[in-house]
Amino acid sequence: MKLKTIVSLWSFVLLLLSCEKEIDVDYHQVDQLYVAEGLVTQDGTTNRTNRPTYVRLTTTQDMTDNVSNGHNLAGATVVLSEEGCVVDTLRYWRNGYYVSNCQGFEGCKYTIDIYLDGNHFQSSSVMQAEPQFSSFRFVWKDVLTERMLFADLKINDVSGQNNYYFMHIYRNGIGYRWAVMDDSHNPGGELQQLFSCTTERNLDKNDDDGLKDGDKIHVEIRSIDRRTYDYFYSLQVMQNSGTNPVQNFTGGCLGYFSACYIVNYDTTFRRADVETE
């Protein structure tokens, strides 16, 4: 599956993606909307709050507001349930984050209920098995008349079930590239995701989007359920389809909630170590 870089309003809305270049947008005045980004993970070492469970609540930015990036929301009641039984009410931390020390377990279905300003938003997700990291490298490939730099990520698929993955590369702590992938083309085998980074020509010019020697690279691999995959896949293709992402929350809230197992990999970019194919 070819990675399609998303540069859109929704990249700002989700606070997950990093916009690569500034673009002109033909927009109309819109009301602010609620946005939720929520995770249940296996432990607290794999996300920004250092807790296994968090939900961040914000609003979208008014398109005429050149100052704010949306607003963090306090005062909500955020409830985590497992298989219909309440597990915990998340505690407000800071910057719109509501947190819990509850860990996720494979095969369990988790639900987040958000009560805010008379609204009720809900989303559910099933925790998946641990993703099996295989390898990560940078490689040069010839594409038409250009020599392109790719990040090459490989995963060993878990056999006997349908699997879905979300992969995010960070450069110096800032989101750089992301993609989603399923195992339909090689179930139970090795899966490959190529991330297009830049051309050799732009790298020579020290283009802002290009990598530089010494850049710290962090790779995050999540095993996600089909519902979360559908959301991110629709986000990935929406620029070409002209549609909005599929709804992940009921009640009109933007964003997503995912119970996922996360595996991390860290390296440093060195141009001299890039392989050629």
Side-chain angles (χ1 to χ4, degrees):
M1 176 172 52
K2 184 189 296 182
L3 171 67
K4 297 184 184 297
T5 303
I6 304 300
V7 183
S8 67
L9 169 62
W10 293 93
S11 299
F12 297 99
V13 168
L14 293 179
L15 302 175
L16 172 68
L17 318 175
S18 60
C19 183
E20 295 181 28
K21 296 185 183 295
E22 218 174 289
I23 59 174
D24 294 324
V25 180
D26 182 15
Y27 59 82
H28 299 283
Q29 178 81 18
V30 294
D31 294 332
Q32 289 189 333
L33 302 173
Y34 295 110
V35 183
E37 175 197 348
L39 292 181
V40 173
T41 68
Q42 78 278 9
D43 59 41
T45 64
T46 54
N47 63 67
R48 68 204 75 176
T49 67
N50 290 321
R51 293 174 176 85
T53 297
Y54 76 81
V55 173
R56 189 182 189 192
L57 297 178
T58 61
T59 60
T60 55
Q61 178 183 352
D62 191 313
M63 293 300 294
T64 61
D65 183 354
N66 294 320
V67 178
S68 70
N69 290 315
H71 302 280
N72 300 318
L73 297 176
T77 299
V78 182
V79 179
L80 174 68
S81 300
E82 178 187 339
E83 305 294 345
C85 297
V86 173
V87 175
D88 196 12
T89 298
L90 279 63
R91 296 164 296 285
Y92 186 75
W93 182 44
R94 65 187 184 193
N95 299 330
Y97 284 98
Y98 298 75
V99 299
S100 170
N101 292 321
C102 293
Q103 295 176 263
F105 295 92
E106 179 183 344
C108 294
K109 182 179 180 180
Y110 297 93
T111 299
I112 281 289
D113 287 279
I114 301 170
Y115 302 90
L116 176 63
D117 296 336
N119 299 287
H120 176 207
F121 310 121
Q122 184 183 82
S123 184
S124 298
S125 183
V126 177
M127 186 82 168
Q128 303 300 296
E130 178 181 359
Q132 303 300 308
F133 172 80
S134 177
S135 65
F136 179 83
R137 63 173 182 159
F138 289 98
V139 60
W140 292 111
K141 291 178 178 288
D142 292 328
V143 179
L144 299 177
T145 60
E146 295 280 5
R147 196 168 184 236
M148 294 288 301
L149 179 68
F150 288 89
D152 181 2
L153 173 63
K154 292 181 180 178
I155 301 170
N156 291 320
D157 188 49
V158 179
S159 61
Q161 61 187 49
N162 296 324
N163 298 294
Y164 308 90
Y165 303 95
F166 172 87
M167 300 145 291
H168 200 170
I169 298 176
Y170 295 82
R171 178 182 63 170
N172 300 324
I174 299 174
Y176 181 63
R177 297 290 188 270
W178 68 272
V180 288
M181 173 173 60
D182 65 18
D183 65 352
S184 59
H185 59 287
N186 191 24
E190 188 174 69
L191 307 176
Q192 181 185 39
Q193 177 66 51
L194 289 174
F195 299 84
S196 175
C197 296
T198 188
T199 65
E200 184 177 36
R201 179 170 49 185
N202 285 338
L203 199 63
D204 291 336
K205 294 178 180 178
N206 289 320
D207 182 82
D208 288 341
D209 194 45
L211 296 168
K212 298 174 177 60
D213 274 2
D215 280 350
K216 302 299 181 183
I217 304 299
H218 175 77
V219 183
E220 180 182 285
I221 307 165
R222 303 181 190 176
S223 56
I224 57 177
D225 62 3
R226 176 59 187 268
R227 192 162 183 261
T228 307
Y229 171 84
D230 288 343
Y231 173 80
F232 278 111
Y233 182 77
S234 69
L235 185 67
Q236 184 171 271
V237 302
M238 61 172 282
Q239 186 168 339
N240 290 333
S241 65
T243 60
N244 291 329
V246 298
Q247 289 291 313
N248 188 264
F249 274 91
T250 63
C253 183
L254 304 179
Y256 73 98
F257 167 69
S258 177
C260 55
Y261 203 113
I262 304 178
V263 169
N264 299 278
Y265 175 79
D266 293 282
T267 189
T268 301
F269 178 76
R270 304 288 183 194
R271 185 168 180 175
D273 295 337
V274 178
E275 302 176 33
T276 300
E277 285 189 352

